[in-house]
Every structure is written in C-alpha cells, then in structure tokens.
Amino acid sequence: MRKGFRQSMAWLHTWSGLVVGWVLFSVFVTGTASYYRPEINRWMQPELRQEAAIGPEALAKAADLAVAHLQAQAGAARTWFITLPQPERPLIELFWRTRPGTPPGRAVLDPNTGEPAALRDTKGGDFFYRFHFELHLPPLWGRWIVGICAMIMLIALVSGIITHRRIIADFFTLRRDKAAQRGWLDAHNVAGVLGLPFHLMITYTGVVTLALMYMPWGVTAAYKGDMQTFFAESGQVTRPRPPAGRPGTLAPVGPMVRQAIATIPQPLERLTIVNPRDANATVVAVFEEPHGLSHEHPQVAFDGTTGAVVEVRAGGLRPAAKTFTTMVGLHEAHFAGPALRVLFFLCGLMGCAMVASGLVLWTVARLPKAGQAPGPGWRLVHSLNVGTVAGLPASVAAYFLANRLLPLDLAGRAEWEIWAFFGTWIATTLAAGLPPPRQAWSGAMRLVAALFAAAAVADVALVGASSAEPLRYLAFDAALLALAAAFAVIARKVARYEGPRRRRGEASRPILDPAPHRDDTGHFGRA
C-alpha cells in the first residue's frame, strides 16, 4: 500500500465514519433513550395509574373483553394481537391487520370496562424504539439502511483499533490546551476507547438481530421461505396450524388464560389469535422472557374452538437459536436491573459522544485557512453536523414539549408530536448554515437547553401535582433539567472558547490549525 497499512486504515476509518455518522448518531441517541422506554411511556401518558398486581381472574376478564371488541371491529382480520394489562401499564392494547398492505388497526381499552381508554394519544417511548432500527421509514427500507450503517460502523471500529497503536495511552490522554484538532481527536479517542467493548457488542448484536433479513438464503433453501416453520423447528415459537377452510366458533378465551398461567409460572404478556373465525383457530399465550440473557418467550398454544392445549413451548431452544436469542437479549438489555441499566445508558451516551466528536473532528481538521471561504462540501458537512449533533436532541426535547402543549382532543395527536420532532430537526439543520460556525453551534446548543427546560416546566405547570405518581414525574423532570444544564454549559463554553493557550513568547496562530500533518496515531489532519 502506498501510504502503509495503518495509514490506509486511518483513511478508511475517517471516511467510513463520516458517510454513515449522521445515521449512527441518530441510532445511538434513540437506542440509548429506549433503555428507558417504559419510563418515557409513563411520563407521556400521565393519566395512567400503576397497579399493585394483576391476578389471573383480571387477566382472563381483560382477554374476554379484548376478544369481544375484536369480534365487533376486526372480524375479517386473519390474526389478532392482544397485549394484556401489566402493573406498569394496566391497559388492553389491540393490534390487527385486515389484509397485507393496508394500515393496521389499533385500539387501547380500559381493562375493567372494555371501553376505549381515556388517555392522551401518543407513541411515547415506542417512537424512539422503532426509530432506532427503522428511522420512521417503511420497515424494510429502514431496517436495511440501519443494518448497512451498522456493518460500516463495524468496519470503522476495527479500522480505528488498527489505527490507534497507542490505544491504552489514548484512554488517559485529553489535551485540551493544544490545537483544537488535537483536542477533538483526543476526545474522540477517549470516548471510543472507554466504551470500546460496549461499542463492539452493541454494533455486532444489532447486526445479528436482523441477520435473517440480510441473509435469508438458508431459510429460503431449506424451508422454501416458510419462516414460521423455521422458527417452530428452532424452538422459538409454537408450530403453526394451517386454516381448515371451514367456519368455526372461537371458544371463551378466559379459561385458556387461566390454564396458561397455571402451566407456566411467568407473567403473561400477550395473546395471539390466528384464524379466529376458522375451525382450526389457534390461541397462543406468550409470556415474558425469564430473567437472563436469552430473549426467549415461553408459549402455550390452544385449539381455539375447543380450548384444549395443543403445545407447550418453555425452553428447549436449539443451539443456533439459543445463540441468536442471547445476542438479542444482550442488545436489548431486558435482563438488566436498575444499576446495570444505568451502565448501559451511560455506555450509550459514550457512543453518542464518540460519533459526535468524530463528525466534528472531520470539519475541524478541514477548516479553511484564515481569509479563505469554506467550500460547499465543508458547509454541507458542517450544517449536517449541527443539525444532527444538536438538532436531534432538540427534536427529542420538542417531542416531549409537544406532548404537554398539544390539546388532548386533537385529532391525530400522536402524529402531531412526531411532526414536532421532525419539524424541529429540519429547522435546526437548515438554520445551521446561516450564522458563522461557532455561533451556529452555540445557538443550537442554547436551543436544546431551552427546549429541555421548557419541557420540564410545562410538565410541572400542566401535569405535576395532578399526576398519578408525582414523585416519578418529578424524577423525570429532574433528568430533563440536568440535560438542559449540560447543554447550556456546552453552549457557554463554545461561545467563550478562545483557542489553545500559547506559551510565553509564542507567536499568535489561528484557533483551528488547518495545516496538513500526520499525528502519531496515523490520522491525517487534512484529506
């Protein structure tokens, strides 16, 4: 290689990181927020009250109410999905699709009456969870884009490891008094090295979770594309039962719920009812996964017309399936207790810092010399950096603020919250190209701080004391105010930064040194 192996890896690391950096930052931010998805859901629906416990009789009654609603509203659907009430979320949530390609049907019911629940319409933390791997695009497109970006991130991580021969020293090195480029490079190194095991794990397991979509040829060849049979034979789901083609009457579901709970000592999570009006209808009770790494849901399948148990699936995964579900469990961290979840969250923030500092480093290293106007490519990358690194947190804050300010009876309220998210993101990106770079960064960070503070104030003013659990909401507001303070400090430091300190007698030099050079890690200051 003309420049040597490590220099070639540095080039690969720089450009692979830039090309997908904006998507990766979005994935890291929304994925990190998803570790607290239940808390976000509860904050965004303050009318919801937590229950102490929900017994088998209450679950059986809720299941019967759900089936009655579905028979009246979704009788033509092939499959009904019923999420049963849980102590943290005592609601019945229904989902069905009448035919492929049509919008799905949804409903949220009161588990005591079966009537629509009196809650504000919102996607809550589920929006961040879905955005994390679908980017709010059609599922197939979004998952392919995120998957390709994750694969490129693996390339960037490996090439970064090869590039940094002083990886242990980089862990302890942060030279803020040197040139700005050196400071950003050290910040990028520290964020990358400190969270390196997490970055490798979360990226690799993220790719593995959708591996069957990227590489379906084995299942296509062995099962002729029949994914349900593949999942059944690997031990992940109960065996599918084809429709009989004759009409049938669904038996009461409540007794099936009681029997399923008596069979498997795990919290019952949901029901799946396949071919509900067919003589070969199937009711599958799906339980929460047992505590541990494996993302495995025990299941009990019933004959829908007779109520007889057809199959019990509790453990017994094949080795390959066990490996796969363990990878999914590592990625989603459902096994994590409060302390470990905080650690996952902090590592996620470290990943955000690693990607953000890498994006900023690219523009700092290529800042034009004094008196020269930046080219269109540099201006585009700068605007995208500001719009992503500052615009995405601003969008998250605007999403929270819209949840408190939008009228409760507004039609399509959940979609209006999402429009507030994307509208803020787009506006921040477009505005980033108007002022000089430093003012763009400081102004955007002030906006983020103001929006997070406004969301906390709006919650205290409009919900606060009237909420079902005021202490829980105040804790969430405290987190919002902490984020606001952090971004305010960043904005202040950016606005007051005067460049690296000079030694006595040293001639004045530009704040950002644009001269090309190669540092001791193999990075080149300019392309």
Side-chain angles (χ1 to χ4, degrees):
M1 298 181 183
R2 187 178 60 182
K3 293 182 179 179
F5 179 66
R6 288 181 60 253
Q7 285 71 30
S8 298
M9 288 294 101
W11 178 91
L12 178 63
H13 179 79
T14 298
W15 288 100
S16 62
L18 176 70
V19 169
V20 301
W22 302 296
V23 175
L24 289 176
F25 184 81
S26 306
V27 168
F28 261 104
V29 169
T30 52
T32 301
S34 295
Y35 287 131
Y36 288 93
R37 177 166 56 141
E39 286 76 8
I40 295 174
N41 282 337
R42 291 191 64 80
W43 188 87
M44 297 188 75
Q45 288 186 321
E47 303 84 3
L48 196 61
R49 292 183 177 274
Q50 183 176 0
E51 299 287 345
I54 300 178
E57 292 301 322
L59 290 174
K61 176 185 176 181
D64 286 332
L65 291 173
V67 169
H69 182 91
L70 289 165
Q71 287 174 331
Q73 303 296 328
R78 180 179 178 274
T79 307
W80 297 337
F81 300 93
I82 304 170
T83 300
L84 294 172
Q86 305 295 326
E88 286 285 329
R89 190 169 178 78
L91 298 170
I92 304 171
E93 298 184 64
L94 309 178
F95 176 88
W96 67 90
R97 193 184 296 275
T98 304
R99 62 179 63 89
T102 60
R106 300 176 185 273
V108 180
L109 308 180
D110 186 303
N112 297 312
T113 65
E115 296 298 320
L119 295 171
R120 64 185 68 198
D121 186 21
T122 179
K123 299 291 186 182
D126 296 338
F127 169 70
F128 297 132
Y129 172 73
R130 305 293 301 188
F131 188 96
H132 170 65
F133 59 94
E134 290 180 352
L135 303 178
H136 203 61
L137 296 172
L140 186 62
W141 283 94
R143 295 180 186 195
W144 267 104
I145 291 172
V146 170
I148 291 171
C149 291
M151 296 174 199
I152 296 175
M153 182 173 178
L154 277 177
I155 295 173
L157 287 171
V158 173
S159 58
I161 293 170
I162 295 172
T163 298
H164 296 295
R165 62 186 176 189
R166 298 174 61 250
I167 195 167
I168 301 300
D170 288 342
F171 185 88
F172 301 100
T173 303
L174 186 58
R175 290 161 286 192
R176 296 178 61 249
D177 59 336
K178 300 293 184 181
Q181 180 180 335
R182 170 67 65 185
W184 279 109
L185 178 60
D186 287 345
H188 181 64
N189 290 342
V190 168
V193 173
L194 184 60
L196 183 58
F198 174 83
H199 304 328
L200 288 169
M201 179 277 292
I202 209 69
T203 305
Y204 181 75
T205 55
V207 173
V208 169
T209 57
L210 299 175
L212 285 177
M213 187 184 77
Y214 308 136
M215 299 180 293
W217 310 291
V219 177
T220 301
Y223 294 90
K224 309 302 181 186
D226 187 353
M227 298 295 292
Q228 286 299 107
T229 301
F230 163 73
F231 287 129
E233 291 191 0
S234 62
Q236 298 179 66
V237 300
T238 57
R239 290 187 176 275
R241 303 173 72 217
R246 305 186 309 274
T249 301
L250 190 67
V253 177
M256 302 183 205
V257 168
R258 297 186 190 94
Q259 187 172 357
I261 294 173
T263 303
I264 296 180
Q266 287 287 125
L268 182 58
E269 189 174 88
R270 64 183 184 272
L271 299 176
T272 302
I273 304 177
V274 184
N275 302 316
R277 295 199 170 188
D278 189 83
N280 216 18
T282 306
V283 178
V284 182
V286 183
F287 293 80
E288 290 184 7
E289 66 266 30
H291 185 72
L293 286 178
S294 182
H295 188 72
E296 175 186 356
H297 292 269
Q299 300 173 35
V300 180
F302 297 88
D303 185 307
T305 57
T306 66
V309 174
V310 174
E311 183 181 357
V312 177
R313 177 73 67 181
L317 287 178
R318 299 294 179 85
K322 188 73 172 180
T323 301
F324 172 77
T325 56
T326 300
M327 293 288 185
V328 176
L330 272 172
H331 190 81
E332 297 189 352
H334 288 171
F335 64 91
L340 188 55
R341 191 159 54 134
V342 169
L343 180 60
F344 267 77
F345 181 79
L346 294 176
C347 288
L349 292 181
M350 194 68 66
C352 298
M354 176 188 67
V355 177
S357 58
L359 291 172
V360 174
L361 175 62
W362 193 95
T363 55
V364 169
R366 290 157 181 81
L367 192 72
K369 293 182 179 180
Q372 292 182 354
W378 189 95
R379 291 198 299 269
L380 175 63
V381 173
H382 163 73
S383 297
L384 291 174
N385 283 353
V386 177
T388 302
V389 176
L392 183 60
S395 303
V396 171
Y399 180 69
F400 291 149
L401 183 60
N403 178 265
R404 289 300 187 255
L405 297 183
L406 290 175
L408 298 182
D409 57 352
L410 178 66
R413 190 179 187 280
E415 296 303 319
W416 278 104
E417 291 180 359
I418 295 174
W419 276 112
F421 176 89
F422 284 107
T424 303
W425 197 353
I426 293 171
T428 306
T429 305
L430 293 177
L434 301 178
R438 186 178 301 176
Q439 283 84 343
W441 279 109
S442 61
M445 293 299 176
R446 289 192 189 98
L447 173 65
V448 179
L451 287 173
F452 272 117
V457 171
D459 178 60
V460 173
L462 300 176
V463 175
S466 63
S467 65
E469 298 171 276
L471 290 180
R472 179 181 295 226
Y473 286 90
L474 289 176
F476 197 99
D477 293 338
L480 295 179
L481 291 175
L483 288 170
F487 281 104
V489 169
I490 294 173
R492 185 171 181 270
K493 286 187 173 295
V494 170
R496 292 192 171 192
Y497 181 68
E498 297 179 354
R501 295 191 296 271
R502 297 192 302 272
R503 297 175 183 174
R504 182 176 299 180
E506 184 179 4
S508 178
R509 56 180 176 176
I511 291 177
L512 300 179
D513 180 11
H517 69 279
R518 182 172 66 84
D519 59 43
D520 55 6
T521 65
H523 276 293
F524 283 86
R526 293 173 61 85

